[in-house]
Amino acid sequence: MKSKSILLVEDNPNDETLTLRALAKVNLANAVDVARDGQQALDYLFAEGEFVGRRGAPAPSVVMLDLNLPRIDGLDVLRRMRADERTRLIPVVMLTSSDEQRDRLRSYESGANSFVRKPLDFGEFAETVARLGLYWFATNDPP
Amino acid sequence: MPASTGPTSPRLDDLSLQQLAEFFPGPSWIAAREGTCVFVNDEWRRHTGCMVSEMRELEILDWVHYEDRERVTEELVQARGREHEARFECRLRSADSEPHWFDMRLLPLRDARGHVKAWFGSCTDIQAARTAVALRAASEAQEAQLRALVSNMSEGLIVADAQGHLIDWNPAALKIHGFAATDDMRRHVSTFTRNFIVRTLEGTIVPFENWPIPRLLRGEEVRDLEVQLERLDRPQSFIMIYNGSLLRNADGSPSMVLLTIHEVTERRRKDAQIARLNAELEARVLERTLELRAANAELESFAYAVSHELRAPLRAMNGFGNALLEDCAPGLDETARGYIANILAASLSMGALVDGLLQLSRNTRGNLERQECDLSALAESVLADLARAEPLRAVKCSIEPGLRVLGDPRLIEGVLRNLLGNAWKYTARTAEPVIHFHTSQLEGQACFVVEDNGSGFALEHADKLFRPFQRLHRQDEFPGIGIGLATVQRIIHRHGGWIQARAYVGKGAQFYFTLSPTKSGDGGRS
């Protein structure tokens, strides 16, 4: 069953709204599920906690993961994903405002597929997000 | 030699006299009663080199050393006048031109009636005796000097015979070992085991057979031997450095031992103190370094957190501002759209500021990794980037080739990007813009300079130039946030260099800088 979902893991409500708006522009808003912290993201992916009902559901085509999250941060989510058979191959795009080199390197080292800076300018941001969504959701062939 | 045949010359007596004069071991002569010379012996001729054959022409005084002539003349006159003996010392001229002192004696020869009929002059060579006296005086003076030296030197000196008995020492030797000036050390060195214990610097006892003198007597070398000496009869200890040599007889058997002693107790104590202070200093430095590192790490995480936190609401401002424009367009009139545009611009502006602040804080952290940087190449690449971003601007750039410097390439590129970027920006309104990067001199120091013929600025505001966020132009004239030069200065100072600006309104600006702390600057060509 081909997945028809994008998991957006974002704790900032404004960023969430703006990201969804950007994805809406390319008609992807309906495919997006949102987790608001690291724990929630993992529960979603492993169908645990509040997401027990997701057992058997296909994995998302891509996870858009913010680095800085409460409870469990983005890097940990990534590592746990990569450590588990069920989620090891799911494409992950780190979406973050950090421009620190070490964040970038650590993300790649932990198995991120892509690392994208959230630009300040909304126009740029929207374009970036839209392109990302389209690429991973529509263009890319998932594993 | 035949006597001259003068009217007053005696006859038979003359012959014996002549033989006697000839026999005399030194130069001698015979003169007539009134003083004229009638005979000189071979020794006279040999010594003085006199070759006069006609006695009439021979004047004794001619053969006296010119410095003594006056005095000798006086003596002769006196003697002849009073008709009695004379004795004095003088020099004769000598054939080998070495001045030669003689004990000269004049004897009046009288006849039976007591009248002087002739004079006999004799010269006894006293040069050797004189020389000997002078030599001895010199030798005594030298000995006195040596004695004074040995007495006054601060190093101890000990002399022992081949059996190990002390035979001589200087005052310093007594003092160093804690003896009184009057103590008698004329004993065998082994007797000193009742006065001292000798230890190595680590504290191990040195047995008597390894003391300096016994070792030297065995033919071992004693060079810079540093030991601790403890007196047994009182609580005194010293640290000594011994140096010695064994003197041998012609047949190779030991003749005597010379030992010098250098007392370094106080010096070693001070050394130890310095070492201790150094260690304390090191510990303190380490402590401070750790504190500094911790502070830096805190600053780093603070800057990171702050910039991250600040960016999020800015994104929201910008995002929703745009969303307003897009989604609510029909409800917005010209004014509303204008206001929203201002909000958007402000958010971008603040974003740049946040980035700039982060950049600024980054530039003061971390170690400076100095590598060889090709400044000319860096400048070329920066200008190429600027040209690519604004291809329609025709700016004449000239970069001196082969400029090299030792520094952090990343940071230096930042410096050039700022300085050249500014030059690029402020020549935007110049008809024929020129940017020039080359070596130069400012106030006698070699340096680099970035200069342009752009709008310049008023030099009286130059002190504000390097403060963060200060601007010398209105926002509408040249947009920008003014953080660049503060960063540039920070970087330059971290490299140990300096930066100065010179400018004239309307005539362009020059930024002079160095990137190393040497006085002559490092504005060097490769």
Side-chain angles (χ1 to χ4, degrees):
Chain A
M1 217 186 332
K2 190 173 186 196
S3 154
K4 281 294 167 202
S5 70
I6 295 175
L7 175 64
L8 171 65
V9 189
E10 173 62 68
D11 67 316
N12 185 311
N14 286 329
D15 281 344
E16 182 194 323
T17 310
L18 292 169
T19 309
L20 287 174
R21 191 167 166 277
L23 288 170
K25 289 193 168 207
V26 289
N27 293 322
L28 289 175
N30 291 335
V32 182
D33 286 331
V34 181
R36 291 186 183 85
D37 63 42
Q39 186 59 58
Q40 220 179 33
L42 289 170
D43 286 347
Y44 177 98
L45 288 164
F46 298 128
E48 282 161 15
E50 59 186 297
F51 293 102
V52 175
R54 279 204 74 234
R55 288 262 164 89
S61 316
V62 65
V63 176
M64 288 188 179
L65 184 54
D66 188 8
L67 256 184
N68 302 78
L69 298 167
R71 285 214 271 170
I72 303 175
D73 85 12
L75 220 46
D76 274 333
V77 170
L78 176 60
R79 288 188 189 127
R80 290 216 213 165
M81 281 180 68
R82 290 294 174 251
D84 192 302
E85 263 312 304
R86 298 170 281 175
T87 51
R88 194 165 58 88
L89 299 173
I90 300 178
V92 174
V93 174
M94 307 302 291
L95 208 58
T96 178
S97 56
S98 164
D99 64 348
E100 289 276 343
Q101 194 187 24
R102 60 155 190 269
D103 284 337
R104 203 170 72 241
L105 287 174
R106 281 201 292 202
S107 304
Y108 278 116
E109 277 164 12
S110 306
N113 298 75
S114 171
F115 186 95
V116 175
R117 262 203 81 193
K118 289 189 211 172
L120 199 64
D121 180 281
F122 181 75
E124 266 186 69
F125 179 54
E127 206 181 38
T128 306
V129 165
R131 281 215 212 118
L132 278 173
L134 278 174
Y135 174 74
W136 289 102
F137 190 77
T139 317
N140 186 47
D141 261 337
Chain B
M1 207 163 276
S4 83
T5 49
T8 56
S9 54
R11 278 182 294 269
L12 177 68
D13 290 323
D14 285 1
L15 236 38
S16 324
L17 213 51
Q18 272 182 55
Q19 284 170 43
L20 221 53
E22 196 59 67
F23 185 70
F24 188 79
S28 68
W29 75 92
I30 302 170
R33 195 175 132 261
E34 71 278 11
T36 41
C37 187
V38 297
F39 176 77
V40 288
N41 72 348
D42 274 348
E43 191 50 34
W44 176 276
R45 291 191 187 277
R46 195 194 60 75
H47 182 83
T48 60
C50 167
M51 297 207 288
V52 176
S53 50
E54 276 299 323
M55 286 298 111
R56 263 198 302 266
E57 291 157 22
L58 199 156
E59 183 54 60
I60 293 294
L61 277 170
D62 286 345
W63 299 95
V64 171
H65 193 278
Y66 71 93
E67 281 174 14
D68 302 331
R69 234 170 259 168
E70 204 178 304
R71 186 165 49 87
V72 172
T73 308
E74 187 54 35
E75 294 276 0
L76 291 179
V77 160
Q78 289 275 331
R80 285 176 190 151
R82 299 197 197 131
E83 292 196 338
H84 70 64
E85 286 176 37
R87 186 176 180 182
F88 47 86
E89 287 178 8
C90 72
R91 283 163 287 186
L92 287 183
R93 278 163 61 181
S94 68
D96 61 12
S97 78
E98 284 285 321
H100 225 88
W101 282 90
F102 290 92
D103 176 20
M104 198 178 270
R105 294 173 77 160
L106 222 60
L107 183 71
L109 302 167
R110 301 174 197 275
D111 62 13
R113 281 165 291 163
H115 294 141
V116 176
K117 52 178 185 149
W119 291 88
F120 178 64
S122 70
C123 300
T124 312
D125 192 334
I126 55 168
Q127 185 59 46
R130 267 189 166 231
T131 309
V133 163
L135 274 175
R136 194 171 58 218
S139 144
E140 272 170 10
Q142 211 173 41
E143 207 179 300
Q145 244 179 31
L146 208 59
R147 210 178 291 279
L149 180 66
V150 165
S151 299
N152 288 309
M153 61 197 262
S154 58
E155 270 192 325
L157 200 56
I158 291 180
V159 183
D161 66 16
Q163 283 70 48
H165 297 97
L166 265 57
I167 53 181
D168 211 351
W169 53 88
N170 69 349
L174 285 174
K175 182 159 170 263
I176 283 177
H177 289 92
F179 290 107
T182 49
D183 286 343
D184 190 1
M185 302 289 112
R186 217 174 300 266
R187 40 192 170 112
H188 193 264
V189 62
S190 59
T191 62
F192 288 97
T193 52
R194 60 167 189 268
N195 297 107
F196 299 104
I197 285 185
V198 177
R199 291 180 195 272
T200 62
L201 292 178
E202 293 79 34
T204 340
I205 292 192
V206 176
F208 170 71
E209 59 260 22
N210 284 337
W211 284 22
I213 291 179
R215 284 173 67 167
L216 286 165
L217 286 172
R218 278 202 299 277
E220 285 173 31
E221 196 185 55
V222 171
R223 182 166 300 288
D224 291 331
L225 177 65
E226 193 166 331
V227 289
Q228 293 182 54
L229 235 69
E230 265 174 50
R231 276 203 73 139
L232 287 169
D233 50 353
R234 60 179 108 131
Q236 234 183 342
S237 72
F238 320 91
I239 299 181
M240 316 290 208
I241 298 181
Y242 289 99
N243 272 287
S245 33
L246 176 67
L247 301 182
R248 291 183 188 272
N249 294 315
D251 65 358
S253 59
S255 134
M256 63 174 123
V257 156
L258 296 177
L259 191 65
T260 67
I261 311 104
H262 203 101
E263 200 235 315
V264 291
T265 322
E266 188 56 27
R267 193 175 2 138
R268 287 291 174 259
R269 194 188 61 78
K270 290 213 175 97
D271 286 347
Q273 193 179 40
I274 289 175
R276 217 177 23 252
L277 285 174
N278 271 346
E280 275 171 35
L281 200 68
E282 288 282 348
R284 238 178 274 153
V285 165
L286 191 63
E287 211 183 294
R288 291 280 175 275
T289 309
L290 290 174
E291 278 172 24
L292 212 68
R293 280 212 200 115
N296 272 348
E298 269 183 57
L299 201 69
E300 197 175 315
S301 68
F302 174 73
Y304 175 77
V306 160
S307 68
H308 182 76
E309 296 296 319
L310 289 175
R311 282 200 192 112
L314 286 176
R315 243 192 336 273
M317 276 170 62
N318 199 285
F320 288 113
N322 267 296
L324 251 183
L325 284 178
E326 286 176 14
D327 299 353
C328 309
L332 295 169
D333 64 353
E334 188 85 24
T335 318
R337 279 201 294 275
Y339 289 163
I340 294 171
N342 289 344
I343 292 172
L344 293 179
S347 73
L348 287 176
S349 198
M350 184 161 165
L353 278 170
V354 167
D355 283 345
L357 270 172
L358 195 62
Q359 187 74 352
L360 198 62
S361 84
R362 267 191 201 139
N363 288 330
T364 53
R365 291 183 272 114
N367 291 324
L368 204 61
E369 299 270 329
R370 280 193 201 253
Q371 303 171 23
E372 268 261 327
C373 301
D374 185 342
L375 275 187
S376 309
L378 273 174
E380 301 255 11
S381 120
V382 165
L383 284 168
D385 285 345
L386 290 165
R388 218 173 307 132
E390 285 182 276
L392 298 175
R393 283 197 61 196
V395 178
K396 181 160 175 276
C397 305
S398 90
I399 298 169
E400 191 177 313
L403 300 180
R404 281 193 202 291
V405 86
L406 229 54
D408 185 317
R410 195 174 51 94
L411 296 179
I412 289 175
E413 196 194 324
V415 165
L416 288 177
R417 221 168 260 289
N418 261 300
L419 294 177
L420 291 168
N422 279 341
W424 187 269
K425 186 163 71 175
Y426 290 99
T427 50
R429 301 220 218 124
T430 312
E432 289 185 21
V434 174
I435 297 176
H436 198 21
F437 175 51
H438 59 106
T439 53
S440 180
Q441 281 234 347
L442 186 68
E443 290 161 9
Q445 295 191 29
C447 57
F448 300 106
V449 63
V450 170
E451 56 183 326
D452 64 75
N453 63 347
S455 62
F457 53 86
L459 207 57
E460 64 249 30
H461 298 308
D463 60 325
K464 291 205 194 120
L465 209 52
F466 294 101
R467 296 210 208 120
F469 307 117
Q470 281 287 352
R471 295 179 41 83
L472 298 185
H473 290 276
R474 296 200 316 258
Q475 190 74 315
D476 57 332
E477 284 177 330
F478 292 106
I481 55 166
I483 200 170
L485 284 173
T487 309
V488 163
Q489 191 184 49
R490 265 270 183 59
I491 294 172
I492 283 177
H493 284 174
R494 284 199 66 211
H495 280 78
W498 50 261
I499 178 165
Q500 281 193 49
R502 297 274 189 278
Y504 298 96
V505 177
K507 294 218 186 100
Q510 302 99 47
F511 283 85
Y512 298 88
F513 65 96
T514 62
L515 281 162
S516 73
T518 58
K519 277 217 170 69
S520 59
D522 205 25
R525 295 172 147 271
S526 59

